[in-house]
Amino acid sequence: MTTAPRPKSVPPEATFDASTKLWRCGGPNDARERLWIHPSGLLLLDATRKDGKLDGEIKWSLGIHEMSEHAPRLAMQEALGLPSGPNNTMIATFADGALVEVRFRPGFDFPDELRIELRDGVIDGALEWVVGPVDGALFEYAGTKLLHKIFKVPKPWPHRLTAVFAKGKLKSTTFFAKDGTPLDVSKPTLTEWGESTEASTLAGYIERGDFAADAARFFPKAPRVSKPGSKKVRAVPAGRALDEVVTGGGVPSMTLAFDFDSYGFDCKKEDLAGANDDKYVGIASDGSGEMFLLDVTTGAVVRYAHEEGSVSPAFDSLDQLAFALLRVEAAAKKLIPKAKVSALFKRLDLKVAAALLKEY
C-alpha cells in the first residue's frame, strides 16, 4: 500500500510503483495497460492489446520530471515498438501488432503536427505535416527513416504539406498556406534570360523597361517591394526610371542574394559609418548584409561593407547593378544555370557580380 498522494487524474484502481515513480493500471499481458507519471499524474501510456500484441489506438507521451527519467522512458518506448517523430506525444493505431497510423502532437489535446499512414512497416498512403524545424529524421520506425529534405520544402516555408506515398516511395507533395490555400511552388522555366547580352546594350536596361519586364518574368509570384520614391535617385541617369519601377511595385522582394529594402537609405541622415556623405543613397542590399550605394555625383554604384565601414567600386551604372543582381538572385534560386551566368558576367566585365555569384 503506497503512501504517495494519488494525483486527481489517476483512477483509484491504479497502484504506485515507487521504483519507477509510475502509477499503473493493468500490465503488458492484460487487455489494457495504463501508466501515469508521479507526482503530476500525466498520462504516459494507454495501450490496448489483443493476444499480447498492441491493437487499437495507443496513447504515449514521453513525459519526465527529471533528466534521470529520460533514458528509461526512451527504453520503454523502444520496448513497446513505438515510432519516433517531431513530438514526444503520439496517438498510434495498431492492428494485430502492426502500426498502421501515427499522429504526433505537442500534447494529447493539441492538433496533429505530423500524421502518417503505414502498411507492412513502411509509409504507405497519406502524410500530413505542419512544417517546422527538424533535428535529425522527421520520423523513424522499425528501420524506416523519413528525412524532411525529401519534400524539398520551398522558402519561405509553407504552413503545412500533404504527401502521398506508395510502398515507401513519395509520389506527390502539396503545400498549403496557413489559411489552407494551396501554394503553387513550381519554378518558371526561363529559356531566355539574357545570355547573349552585349556590354553595349546594358545602357538603357532600366529605361527600356527591360528590368521591370525581367523582374516580372523571373519572379512572377514573389511579393513586391513597397518603398517611397527618392529624389536623389531620380537625379541620375536611369534613376527616374528605376524610381518609377520601385514605387510602382515592379521590383520583387528577393530572399537569397539581394533585396531592395534599403532603397532610398539616406546615408548622411542616418550617419552611416564610412559613408556619411550626402552624395550616397541606398539602392539595394546583398544576402550578406552589404549595401549597394548610388554615388549621385557620378551615377556609379559602390558596395558598402558594414563591418569595415568602407566603400569600394561595384558597378559603373544603375543599369549594370539591376541587370546583374536580378540574375544573381535567379541563379541562386536555380532558375538559370549558374555556370553560364558566371561566364556572362566575365564577358561583360562585371567583376563584382561574378564574385557575388560565387557566394550562392
Side-chain angles (χ1 to χ4, degrees):
M1 184 89 180
T2 181
T3 58
R6 184 184 301 271
K8 292 181 179 180
S9 58
V10 176
E13 63 268 25
T15 58
F16 182 65
D17 184 343
S19 64
T20 60
K21 297 181 181 179
L22 295 176
W23 290 88
R24 172 180 292 279
C25 186
N29 297 321
D30 296 321
R32 187 180 185 188
E33 178 186 14
R34 288 176 290 170
L35 298 172
W36 296 266
I37 301 170
H38 186 78
S40 67
L42 177 69
L43 180 66
L44 174 67
L45 173 70
D46 187 352
T48 53
R49 291 180 173 87
K50 184 173 68 174
D51 299 329
K53 298 178 181 179
L54 293 175
D55 190 81
E57 191 174 270
I58 313 303
K59 292 184 178 180
W60 166 265
S61 181
L62 191 77
I64 62 172
H65 291 313
E66 51 189 57
M67 283 307 299
S68 62
E69 298 171 342
H70 188 257
R73 296 283 194 275
L74 289 178
M76 185 185 300
Q77 181 176 346
E78 184 176 356
L80 287 165
L82 298 176
S84 60
N87 302 99
N88 292 328
T89 300
M90 74 181 81
I91 299 176
T93 303
F94 285 79
D96 196 25
L99 180 65
V100 295
E101 184 187 74
V102 61
R103 293 174 286 158
F104 293 93
R105 301 174 167 187
F108 290 128
D109 297 327
F110 289 81
D112 299 335
E113 290 196 351
L114 175 65
R115 184 181 72 86
I116 298 176
E117 294 180 350
L118 300 97
R119 185 190 300 270
D120 299 327
V122 299
I123 302 173
D124 190 279
L127 178 149
E128 184 173 4
W129 177 35
V130 177
V131 180
V134 177
D135 184 13
L138 178 61
F139 169 77
E140 287 189 78
Y141 175 68
T144 294
K145 180 182 288 188
L146 177 67
L147 302 177
H148 70 280
K149 65 181 181 181
I150 190 177
F151 299 117
K152 299 180 180 179
V153 179
K155 292 183 179 179
W157 280 355
H159 174 68
R160 180 174 60 91
L161 67 81
T162 62
V164 176
F165 283 77
K167 298 181 180 180
K169 302 295 184 181
L170 177 63
K171 295 300 182 180
S172 65
T173 306
T174 306
F175 301 99
F176 297 88
K178 194 168 185 178
D179 63 1
T181 305
L183 300 175
D184 183 358
V185 297
S186 60
K187 294 181 179 179
T189 301
L190 298 176
T191 56
E192 206 300 303
W193 49 269
E195 185 178 2
S196 61
T197 301
E198 299 294 336
S200 60
T201 62
L202 282 178
Y205 176 69
I206 300 174
E207 290 182 295
R208 287 193 303 268
D210 294 345
F211 174 57
D214 285 347
R217 190 162 53 89
F218 287 13
F219 309 103
K221 297 174 184 177
R224 288 359 233 183
V225 171
S226 179
K227 304 293 289 186
S230 170
K231 291 182 179 180
K232 285 187 176 182
V233 175
R234 295 173 72 89
V236 304
R240 179 179 293 274
L242 177 62
D243 198 68
E244 290 175 353
V245 175
V246 174
T247 58
V251 177
S253 177
M254 303 292 97
T255 58
L256 291 179
F258 82 99
D259 60 56
F260 268 64
D261 287 340
S262 55
Y263 183 81
F265 182 87
D266 193 321
C267 300
K268 178 69 174 180
K269 182 179 179 180
E270 300 297 333
D271 192 22
L272 186 63
N276 181 5
D277 195 309
D278 208 37
K279 70 179 182 179
Y280 290 132
V281 59
I283 298 295
S285 302
D286 68 25
S288 61
E290 314 289 23
M291 276 202 295
F292 291 100
L293 309 177
L294 171 66
D295 184 337
V296 297
T297 64
T298 65
V301 176
V302 298
R303 190 178 185 186
Y304 174 77
H306 68 280
E307 291 186 358
E308 296 83 2
S310 61
V311 297
S312 58
F315 298 97
D316 292 341
S317 67
L318 287 173
D319 286 319
Q320 288 187 2
L321 170 81
F323 180 89
L325 293 192
L326 199 64
R327 282 154 181 80
V328 170
E329 179 74 16
K333 291 185 175 178
K334 299 181 180 180
L335 301 179
I336 55 179
K338 186 175 180 179
K340 291 186 177 182
V341 177
S342 178
L344 173 63
F345 286 165
K346 290 179 181 178
R347 182 166 60 78
L348 297 177
D349 197 29
L350 299 176
K351 296 183 176 65
V352 170
L356 187 62
L357 184 65
K358 293 180 180 179
E359 299 178 16
Y360 303 93

